[in-house]
C-alpha cells in the first residue's frame, strides 16, 4: 500500500501555511481528491515534459461544444491519477462558455467527490 502525500493548496492554487508558518500537507483521500482536481484543470499540451497529457478543453467543449469527447477525455485523465481505482460517475455540464463537472471517484482509501 502507498500513501499519497501532497502540498495543500488554497482556492487560488497557492500553497497554504499552517500556524507555525510551515507548508501544510495533505495525505490519503484528501490528497487524491486535490490531485484529481489538479489533473482535471491541466490543459492538453500545457506541460512541456508531457505535452500528450491533460484535458483537451480547446479541442472539444470550447471549440465545438463537444461535451461527449470532453467527458471521455476527462474520465481517462481522472483514471490516471495515482491511487484512483475507477471513476464511478462523471457529469459534465456546459452552459454557454462555462463548463463544469461533478465526479465520484473510487480511490484506494474509499470514494470521494470532486467538482470543477
Amino acid at each position: 500500500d502507498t500513501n499519497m502525500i501532497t502540498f495543500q493548496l488554497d482556492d487560488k492554487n497557492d500553497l497554504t501555511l499552517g500556524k507555525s508558518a510551515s507548508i501544510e500537507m495533505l495525505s490519503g483521500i484528501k490528497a487524491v481528491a486535490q490531485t484529481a482536481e489538479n489533473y482535471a484543470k491541466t490543459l492538453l499540451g500545457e506541460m512541456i515534459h508531457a505535452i500528450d497529457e491533460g484535458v483537451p478543453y480547446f479541442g472539444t467543449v470550447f471549440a465545438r461544444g463537444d461535451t461527449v469527447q470532453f467527458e471521455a477525455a476527462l474520465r481517462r485523465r481522472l483514471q490516471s491519477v495515482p491511487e484512483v481505482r475507477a471513476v464511478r460517475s462523471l457529469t459534465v455540464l456546459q452552459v454557454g462558455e462555462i463548463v463544469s463537472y461533478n465526479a465520484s471517484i473510487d480511490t484506494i482509501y474509499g470514494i470521494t467527490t470532486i467538482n470543477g
Side-chain angles (χ1 to χ4, degrees):
D1 248 359
T2 60
N3 186 21
M4 181 180 284
I5 299 173
T6 190
F7 297 112
Q8 182 173 337
L9 304 174
D10 64 15
D11 59 348
K12 294 180 182 177
N13 224 24
D14 292 327
L15 298 173
T16 59
L17 298 178
K19 293 179 182 177
S20 64
S22 61
I23 296 175
E24 293 288 313
M25 304 297 288
L26 291 176
S27 63
I29 198 165
K30 289 181 181 180
V32 175
Q34 180 180 276
T35 300
E37 289 172 355
N38 284 329
Y39 269 47
K41 291 176 189 174
T42 305
L43 300 176
L44 181 64
E46 177 179 15
M47 298 180 293
I48 61 171
H49 296 291
I51 60 171
D52 59 332
E53 295 181 19
V55 181
Y57 285 89
F58 292 102
T60 56
V61 289
F62 292 149
R64 302 187 311 259
D66 187 347
T67 58
V68 173
Q69 283 192 343
F70 173 78
E71 182 178 331
L74 180 56
R75 182 179 296 274
R76 281 190 305 274
R77 183 74 175 142
L78 292 174
Q79 287 179 216
S80 72
V81 175
E83 302 183 10
V84 166
R85 291 182 174 154
V87 177
R88 289 179 160 249
S89 67
L90 175 60
T91 304
V92 174
L93 179 63
Q94 182 174 17
V95 178
E97 295 179 4
I98 306 294
V99 177
S100 60
Y101 70 87
N102 178 282
S104 174
I105 56 177
D106 184 5
T107 75
I108 66 170
Y109 309 103
I111 297 170
T112 190
T113 302
I114 62 169
N115 303 289

